[in-house]
Amino acid sequence: MDLEALRHGNFATLGTAIDDWTKVVGYLKGYEKDAREDLKAKADRAKWAGVNATVSRQFISKTAGEFADALAQATSIRDILRDTRDELVQYRAELNRAIDRGWEKKLSVVGEQGGGFRVFVNVHPEPPNSEQAVKDLRDELQGILTKATTSDSTASRVLRAIAEQADYGFSGVSYKDRDSAAEAMQRADDLAKLAKDPEKMSDAQLREFNATLAKYKDDQLFSARFATQLGAEGTLRFWTEMSDIHMGARDGELKRMEEFQKNLSMTLATATLSDADAMQAWKKDLVDQSNKNFVSDAVNVPGRTVGAYGYQVISSLMHHGKYDAEFLDAYGKQLLKQDMAPAGPPGIGSKNLWHGDNHQLTDLEFGKGNGRDPLVGFMDALSHNAEAATNTFDDKKVLEHVLESARYTDRDASVGRALEAAVMGVGVGEEPDGPAPHTATQVGIMKNVMHMVAQPDGGSDLVSKGLGDSFGNMASAYMPEISRAIAGEGAESIFLTDSEAPNELDPTDTTRFLYEVSQDLNGRAGIIVGQSVYTSSLLEAHIANPSLYDGGPAEAIRTISESSGVIQGIVGHANADAAVAGELASEKDQNDAVKTKGDLFKGIAGAGIGVAAAAFVPQGMVGGVIGATAGGYFGGIAGIAIDRLMEGQQAQGALDRALYQSGRELNDYQSSVRVQTQQSAVDAIEKYGADLPPEATKNQIREAVNEGWTESDRILEDAHARPAA
């Protein structure tokens, strides 16, 4: 900064800009509150159907989010401008005081053309020690100007960087002051410089590197700066070399490297959310590096010619964090094209595709796995980004290939989590802030999955290959659509849902899917708990608001109870058939599975599960989902129902042991269904003081559940071959 510019600086214009931004922040606070508490809240409660239930609600939710992002960005800009103005005013005062002190020592300061300045003695003869006094003043002034220049230039760099993060809308970047933003960018530069020669990194530097990633992994400015400074190719080469340098890590070193890999993965995921031109180029370049062979230059692995393909390196850094959906779409198309290239039936070529070269020694993952199969990391990335997962599996050929490939590879658990995100619209680890009704695309994917599992020539193998747990979660989320498929036409006003395509599931495929998934311990537990929650929520809704169904609550209760008997009957018969085949899990394992699912759903039900949304979420989810029905918010009875499942709370006349927690005898299982349904209805009657006779209602439920149970046996005989007793 020029001496004259600072010395005579008038910062009134900057002050005006700060005042203007302060007004903008004030306005945005009001808009953000209105958008969150009024616009979005009303959209969440609205009884919409069809496109409005999904597209309009999602648009409003995103719009409300834009106001929050705008507020964060505007506040950051205002605070950075204010910090900079205050510092420059301070430096101007320091400069003028220094010049005044120099004048007292007979020294004058003048600016020169080009921005420099000169200090000279303004009397003759010169006082003693004048030469040193000139030097000291010159150094002091230069120090002040350097600080002022840094203040000005870092503010400019940070403000530009914030503005570049989003091509459209707002990035939501938030900093309390200019120094924290500048520090984040400087630390990114420091790490990128270290990463260019990882072999020279000391243990202390590695620990500091990891600590910095952990601190800034969610910081978009830091992450984008780190990635672009290192470059796409440099990023992949860095991780290849780090993997080789720390090959064979054990104990404390292994734990540190696992944490390092996680933090690096999350940092790069955050970086992809940036729309800055440099990051757009980085993402494109990264995809272009997919087929490149990365060979480490580490001295402990000399002479190697085969390292790891770019696909493998990229995917090994995708297990954690939410990557940008457009980036995942672009990368996924190229990766899946490669994975689907081998000739033969769908999926079978994946078995040897990524493990064929015995000379490849690079182990890209610390802990379990070696990173050779890039679909594993990519599927994990999809599990954290529901939009990208839905986009990927919307292609039926891709869905068929990926599911079939799980038979021949170890990617099954990752595939299952990705499918959960695709059909539920909520990523693993996300905290939903409202109902998540299923789109027509999501229902279509679920329908295709159910069809594949329902196939008599090997569909059940997909369940036993490790996907049963995820299939059970998916079935739980689709209880409204499943209930409608089982019940048939005419019960739409009873089986409430906000699904955009509530009647698209095939009844036969649905039956076979439930039966096959129930052969898996965790899959069965998911169906039991999910169906119990949906049934209890429906009963509560119709008892609390009899106008939901024009046939009255008694008829609604009967239909719900019969459906419960059918669905749980299918599960119970599958359990009994497993016993006939000698494949039934131990009672303890069954109890543990039900409790695990109960713990998951209890956390969700605690926030109030609405029967219209019935938006159950994947394993590992935190937070709750609130869904709206025509009659308001429901979910209290669902929590009580889960308690009965988990803790075996007994109603009068109930089983001697906890509900569903043995299931070895078909009669016991059937009794559990009756008791659970009856007690949920009685709980709702008592809660709302409904004009329904409890004992007569329980008897009606008994008859309906038993009829449904009997019907389930007939349906299974028509739809599925079963073992002889």
Side-chain angles (χ1 to χ4, degrees), residues 400 402-408 412 448-449 451-455 458-469 471 516 520:
E400 182 180 19
V402 172
L403 258 182
E404 289 292 334
S405 74
R407 301 177 189 271
Y408 314 106
D412 45 278
N448 290 332
V449 170
H451 181 70
M452 290 184 67
V453 175
Q455 293 308 298
S460 60
D461 294 345
L462 294 171
V463 177
S464 60
K465 187 57 179 67
L467 290 162
D469 188 15
F471 289 155
E516 300 297 359
D520 178 86

Side-chain angles (χ1 to χ4, degrees), residues 1-3 6-7 87-101 117 136-152:
M1 177 171 287
D2 296 351
L3 179 137
L6 181 60
R7 185 179 187 182
E87 286 186 358
L88 291 177
V89 169
Q90 175 187 331
Y91 295 141
R92 180 183 63 185
E94 289 181 15
L95 184 76
N96 287 326
R97 284 197 299 269
I99 292 173
D100 290 343
R101 287 196 303 274
F117 66 93
D136 290 345
L137 180 57
R138 185 172 61 242
D139 291 346
E140 182 181 5
L141 296 178
Q142 187 58 59
I144 296 170
L145 291 175
T146 298
K147 289 188 291 184
T149 300
T150 299
S151 180
D152 184 51

